Structures are given as C-alpha cells and as structure tokens.
Amino acid sequence: MLYNINLQFNLFLIMIRLANISEINDILTITRACAAFMIEKGIFQWNEHYPSKQAFVNDIEREELFVLEIEENIVGTIVISTFMDEEYIPIEWLTKNKNNIYIHRLSVHPQHQGKGYAQELMYFAENYAKEKGFISVRLDTFSQNKHNQKFYEIRGYKKLGDIFFPKQSEHPFHCYELVL
C-alpha cells in the first residue's frame, strides 16, 4: 500500500511517502543529527541505542516508516504503527487498546527545523489515522524535552502518564493521546 502527499510549501515540492530500505543510511544521518542537536541542548533523549538501524529496518518491512522529502532530499521521518509497545500497557489511555495508531521516531534534520515540517508530518499521520478509521493517535515524548511536550499539547494531545526506556534515559517519557 502506498500513501503519498505532495504539498507546495515555501516554494519547494514536499512529499511524504513510504521509506525504502535503500534509504536507511540517509534516515540514520537525520536521526543522528537530531540526537546530536538535542544533546547540545542538554536533552539526552536519543543515543547510541536509539533509534537503531534495526528499528528502522523493521519499520520499513512493516510499511510503517514514512519520509519527508524536499526536492527529492529526505529531511524527516515518522513511524505510523498499529503495534502497541509493552511499555504502554500500564497507561490508562482515553480509548480502548483497539484500533489505535502509535507515532514513533518523528524527526526533522536540524537544518530544516522551525519551518513547519514536523507539523506537516503530524498532519499526515493524523489524517492517515482518520482515513483508515482509527480512533486515536498515541505517542510518547521525553519528559526533559519541553519543546516537544508543548508541540503535542498545542495539537490537542492529552498527557496521560509516564513510561521508562532504561537504555535511553533514567528520566521518564510522557505518554500522550489524541482522540480522533
């Protein structure tokens, strides 16, 4: 199944489409640049363990990894998954654990941040969920990343509880849900 979105944005052709296995190195370059950018700001959310090459390979095999292209250059990623990680089980979600979408590994290369591309990726994911008949969009974001928390809260996501990813940080990750 192929889903594409084409937008004329800031005089550039923007496309969001499924990722290809041949693009793994480009994707890792983006997420590593994002990790370094966050670390410079004192946000230790991503590291040598996450996001991993294998996670992206799995995402591509499940047709859940989408990339944002500007003039045929990949500058962002988003995973739109139906798989609920076991870490999410204790959370008291707003909706039943059935027919939900999970967002992971949202990234925009630091050179392209602040231009609305993360918003476009989220619009794409939310519209995808609506079109497919899902009842909510769920995600987590790092408790030390106040910018991301505000980003999701402005979009209408409700903070519901905390989970931990010990290989990433000793700090919790906040879980959010948007009912569609």
Side-chain angles (χ1 to χ4, degrees), residues 42-107:
I43 301 169
F44 299 93
Q45 177 175 342
W46 287 359
N47 58 32
E48 69 275 7
H49 302 291
Y50 187 88
S52 70
K53 180 178 181 177
Q54 189 57 53
F56 286 122
V57 168
N58 294 342
D59 297 335
I60 290 170
E61 288 174 354
R62 290 189 307 262
E63 296 187 337
E64 296 178 341
L65 175 58
F66 293 82
V67 293
L68 180 137
E69 283 185 340
I70 302 173
E71 299 293 315
E72 299 183 13
N73 294 309
I74 297 171
V75 301
T77 66
I78 190 167
V79 174
I80 306 171
S81 179
T82 58
F83 177 74
M84 184 172 110
D85 292 318
E86 66 182 41
E87 288 86 357
Y88 287 173
I89 292 171
I91 299 300
E92 290 187 33
W93 297 101
L94 300 172
T95 61
K96 293 182 180 182
N97 291 338
K98 182 178 179 183
N99 207 25
N100 315 96
I101 285 287
Y102 299 87
I103 302 300
H104 299 291
R105 294 177 281 291
L106 173 64
S107 70

Side-chain angles (χ1 to χ4, degrees), residues 27 31 34 36 65 68 77 90 92 94 98 100 132 134 141 148-149 154 163 175 177 180:
I27 292 163
T31 57
C34 289
L65 175 58
L68 180 137
T77 66
E92 290 187 33
L94 300 172
K98 182 178 179 183
N100 315 96
K132 297 294 178 188
F134 291 96
T141 195
N148 280 6
Q149 292 169 48
I154 287 171
I163 58 175
C175 289
E177 185 171 21
L180 301 174

Side-chain angles (χ1 to χ4, degrees), residues 28-42:
L28 289 171
T29 296
I30 292 165
T31 57
R32 288 176 183 146
C34 289
F37 186 69
M38 287 187 284
I39 289 167
E40 285 175 17
K41 293 180 165 194

